[in-house]
Amino acid sequence: MSAITLKNIVKEYGDGYAAVNDVSLDIADGEFVILVGPSGCGKSTLLRMIVGLEDITSGELRIDDDLVNDKAPRDRDLAMVFQNYALYPHLTVFENIAFPLRLTKGALSDDEIDARVRRASTLLELDEHLDRKPANLSGGQRQRVAMGRAIVREARAFLFDEPLSNLDAKLRGQMRTEIARMQRTLGTTTVYVTHDQTEALTLGDRVAVLRRGVLQQVASPRSLYEQP
Ligand code: ADP
Ligand code: ADP
């Protein structure tokens, strides 16, 4: 079954330039797809259309076969991790992770919120840090709290927009391993945007290469690696 289906997706900005040009892609349930390409090729635009932060000019976007082109972000059941994650400095780690659930008006009991935050924090090895404030955490711990905010939604799919680009090389390597482990453990469908070659070749099941808004190829990391 397809979790996310893109069919002839086009995005034209005001001046008529197609930032995303006729992209079609079927993402299977549980699949980890990496979206790569040079700066300006349309990666963020594509991701923002999937999550619903950007209107689609033409084409069809489906989640579990449901046409979602006109659905609001909150009705798409997706969790996005941004590049510039902002934690609330006055809130504890627990409250930072719980925050998106508290926004969802009245839907979840305190017990359910507590259980979800604990599941996320165990997975991310943040159990011992739940009462601390962001200022007292390391960079890697802060990044994990940001991921916790996405995990806690227990959403249909994860969307990552270059989540590691502001970290130093050592931490990037560490977080790469953690993201791979997290995705395998949860088995959640994931679309991950990066311009980092190592991430592209090590993280995903498939790599989709975008150039000037056009999908050039979609292949396994291994077959890309073996290309001349
Ligand atoms: P990437 O994420 O691959 O760096 P983007 O999706 O940010 O690429 O941008 C793709 C193209 O769309 C670029 O040519 C960019 O200049 C253009 N673009 C992005 N956002 C806007 C906007 N709000 N208005 C007009 N053009 C935009
Ligand atoms: P509200 O629903 O109170 O207006 P927001 O404006 O913060 O809250 O968010 C609107 C909706 O967008 C949220 O209910 C949520 O489902 C969705 N949303 C917000 N942030 C994200 C995110 N990082 N990833 C996915 N969906 C999000």
Side-chain angles (χ1 to χ4, degrees), residues 13-15 17 19 37-46 54 162 193:
Y13 284 110
D15 53 6
Y17 176 75
S39 174
C41 73
K43 303 184 296 294
S44 301
T45 299
L46 193 53
E54 198 78 72
E162 309 207 19
V193 163

Side-chain angles (χ1 to χ4, degrees), residues 11-215:
K11 175 66 186 187
E12 285 177 6
Y13 284 110
D15 53 6
Y17 176 75
V20 171
N21 196 351
D22 200 24
V23 166
S24 296
L25 180 66
D26 244 341
I27 300 169
D29 190 26
E31 195 177 17
F32 194 143
V33 171
I34 306 279
L35 196 55
V36 289
S39 174
C41 73
K43 303 184 296 294
S44 301
T45 299
L46 193 53
L47 207 63
R48 290 167 60 81
M49 283 192 285
I50 296 174
V51 81
L53 297 173
E54 198 78 72
D55 286 338
I56 297 170
T57 305
S58 66
E60 291 180 358
L61 171 66
R62 290 176 191 278
I63 298 174
D64 291 330
D65 270 355
D66 258 2
L67 191 66
V68 299
N69 287 44
D70 298 323
K71 274 197 179 173
R74 71 176 66 88
D75 297 325
R76 295 187 187 196
D77 193 25
L78 304 172
M80 178 129 165
V81 182
F82 296 94
Q83 176 177 123
N84 298 308
Y85 54 91
L87 303 179
Y88 298 102
H90 58 291
L91 298 180
T92 63
V93 168
F94 183 101
E95 283 304 330
N96 265 285
I97 295 175
F99 196 79
L101 301 181
R102 301 217 190 275
L103 278 184
T104 317
K105 292 145 197 121
L108 294 175
S109 67
D110 283 349
D111 283 352
E112 175 62 16
I113 290 176
D114 193 76
R116 284 204 194 189
V117 172
R118 280 170 204 287
R119 279 201 287 277
S121 68
T122 300
L123 186 68
L124 295 166
E125 293 170 6
L126 286 170
D127 287 331
E128 292 161 32
H129 307 292
L130 287 174
D131 295 329
R132 305 178 72 190
K133 300 272 175 72
N136 303 319
L137 301 176
S138 70
Q141 288 165 340
R142 281 202 285 266
Q143 177 67 31
R144 291 208 292 273
V145 177
M147 288 204 287
R149 274 207 195 149
I151 290 176
V152 83
R153 293 172 179 275
E154 304 191 354
R156 182 67 184 91
F158 290 126
L159 304 170
F160 288 94
D161 192 2
E162 309 207 19
L164 308 184
S165 59
N166 293 332
L167 305 179
D168 65 43
K170 179 161 170 262
L171 199 51
R172 213 156 47 225
Q174 210 174 307
M175 291 306 297
R176 204 164 55 226
T177 312
E178 290 211 22
I179 288 175
R181 182 180 59 85
M182 178 189 93
Q183 205 273 347
R184 273 197 306 273
T185 308
L186 296 172
T188 306
T189 308
T190 300
V191 184
Y192 187 105
V193 163
T194 184
H195 61 257
D196 182 291
Q197 288 251 344
T198 313
E199 287 172 32
L201 294 174
T202 57
L203 273 176
D205 299 316
R206 281 195 299 164
V207 181
V209 184
L210 203 61
R211 198 167 298 265
R212 295 187 185 180
V214 176
L215 202 54

